[in-house]
Amino acid sequence: MTQNWGMTIPFYDRSLASSQELIAELPGLGYTDAWSAEVNGVDGFTPLALAAHWAPGVRLGSAIVPVSTRGPGLLAMSAATLADLAPGRFTLGIGASSPAIVEKWNAGTFDKPYARTRDTLRFLKKALAGEKVTETYETFSVQGFRLERAPKTPPKIVLAALRPRMLRLAAAEADGAITNWLSPEDVRKVRAEIGQDTELIARLFVCVNDNADQVREMGRRMLAGYLTVPVYAAFHDWLGRGEELRPMHEAWAAGDRRAALKAISDEVVDALIVHGDAAACRARIQEYVDNGLDTPVLAPLPGGEISIDQAVRELAPER
């Protein structure tokens, strides 16, 4: 598989409206991919619609759009729109998301996340191929849906997958798997679940900054916010960090946020966040690739004296 080198858009230090110039630089810098995200900032589709014109030639992907915050038909419509704007260049990334995003923020129901993701994947494959869908799935039913204009080139669909069951679904029925918050060594365990022929995509958080203490302080805040989410806690239990992270989880559950941050070791931060000067960061990213990652998607973090603009340019693949 051809090696890809992706970038997360938009950037942490600016709005989408202010990102055009730097996104337009990505193809010339050697980036092959631009991937959005959808949490509580921009939605997963609008950045890609703009990047389709701002950065011609790059692959565009959503990592990820939750399957429980939109109806199946609306999700198919949005995917078809992007596939029409960027024929052959759009990859739809979907996933279960989390109870906070689905229920607390979007008034949805986070129920049977594996089954809902599987059912949505199966529906989308039919709908995006232009079929009329009337079917009762385990988690929803659809009656007589057909896209008014199906894309000439249906997008590939990849799944957010953090543990064996979802990883195996991604390998069996989707076009790839997406993960994040893992170390280069963890890639081997993930790869073992999906085999060698399934594309593996991961968002890598990168801080071009020589001040390790500064990076670790910021990293602890990020990791506490993510790894206390049940799906990520379970992921790291499976990866083998359960005991190492147990003091952090206990302090967090007790409401002691300061103790929770303190309980995250330097070693955990260094394993899960790429940092150092640009050359060291590129070398670390290459370790992920060497261990089986097909598509690193960089997410440059602000910090130190290096601007996001400079980091994006310095982290570009060597040509």
Side-chain angles (χ1 to χ4, degrees):
M1 186 176 293
T2 301
Q3 178 57 54
N4 301 314
W5 201 264
M7 178 56 61
T8 298
I9 62 169
F11 307 97
Y12 279 102
D13 64 339
R14 70 199 68 184
S15 69
L16 177 58
S18 302
S19 296
Q20 178 176 357
E21 184 176 342
L22 191 53
I23 290 174
E25 284 190 44
L26 296 178
L29 291 170
Y31 289 97
T32 62
D33 290 52
W35 289 77
S36 64
E38 186 171 283
V39 183
N40 61 345
V42 296
D43 70 276
F45 291 111
T46 304
L48 304 180
L50 292 169
H53 296 282
W54 292 347
V58 301
R59 178 171 66 158
L60 308 167
S62 60
I64 52 92
V65 174
V67 296
S68 298
T69 56
R70 294 173 177 82
L74 179 58
L75 189 51
M77 290 159 58
S78 298
T81 301
L82 259 298
D84 181 59
L85 286 173
R89 294 197 289 131
F90 172 56
T91 296
L92 174 64
I94 58 172
S97 190
S98 71
I101 292 173
V102 173
E103 296 184 337
K104 294 182 179 180
W105 299 351
N106 287 286
T109 301
F110 190 78
D111 185 36
K112 298 183 178 179
Y114 171 85
R116 180 63 185 250
T117 303
R118 178 203 62 209
D119 294 348
T120 303
L121 169 65
R122 291 174 178 175
F123 163 78
L124 288 170
K125 289 171 72 174
K126 290 186 175 182
L128 291 168
E131 296 182 29
K132 184 176 182 178
V133 182
T134 296
E135 191 158 347
T136 297
Y137 300 91
E138 180 181 347
T139 57
F140 60 83
S141 62
V142 175
Q143 302 298 318
F145 177 84
R146 175 178 281 161
L147 284 167
E148 180 180 291
R149 188 184 301 275
K152 293 181 180 179
T153 304
K156 291 185 177 181
I157 305 175
V158 295
L159 299 186
L162 297 178
R163 284 183 291 167
R165 195 179 182 200
M166 196 74 85
L167 287 164
R168 290 194 291 267
L169 176 65
E173 298 191 32
D175 298 298
I178 306 172
T179 187
N180 69 353
W181 290 118
L182 77 172
S183 72
E185 295 72 25
D186 296 334
V187 171
R188 296 176 185 173
K189 187 164 188 175
V190 174
R191 172 59 72 187
E193 295 294 332
I194 62 175
Q196 296 303 311
D197 297 328
T198 299
E199 182 179 6
L200 180 59
I201 303 153
R203 176 165 283 116
L204 307 180
F205 295 92
V206 184
C207 189
V208 182
N209 186 344
D210 283 328
N211 187 330
D213 290 338
Q214 188 178 65
V215 174
R216 288 166 181 159
E217 181 180 357
M218 173 192 63
R220 285 184 174 90
R221 293 194 297 270
M222 293 185 66
L223 289 170
Y226 269 93
L227 302 190
T228 52
V229 175
V231 291
Y232 281 102
F235 180 44
H236 283 271
D237 282 346
W238 176 64
L239 290 174
R241 290 194 184 86
E243 281 303 305
E244 191 172 11
L245 294 173
R246 184 168 55 82
M248 182 268 290
H249 286 296
E250 290 176 348
W252 190 270
D256 191 340
R257 301 297 190 254
R258 182 176 297 180
L261 293 176
K262 188 176 180 179
I264 301 172
S265 69
D266 290 350
E267 289 75 17
V268 167
V269 179
D270 293 348
L272 302 180
I273 293 181
V274 176
H275 62 95
D277 63 24
C281 289
R282 282 199 306 273
R284 181 69 167 170
I285 295 162
Q286 187 62 45
E287 290 182 34
Y288 284 88
V289 174
D290 292 343
N291 283 339
L293 180 64
D294 296 304
T295 305
V297 179
L298 314 188
L301 302 171
E305 299 178 357
I306 303 298
S307 68
I308 292 290
D309 297 69
Q310 184 177 348
V312 169
R313 292 165 188 148
E314 292 187 357
L315 291 170
E318 295 183 341
R319 292 169 291 171

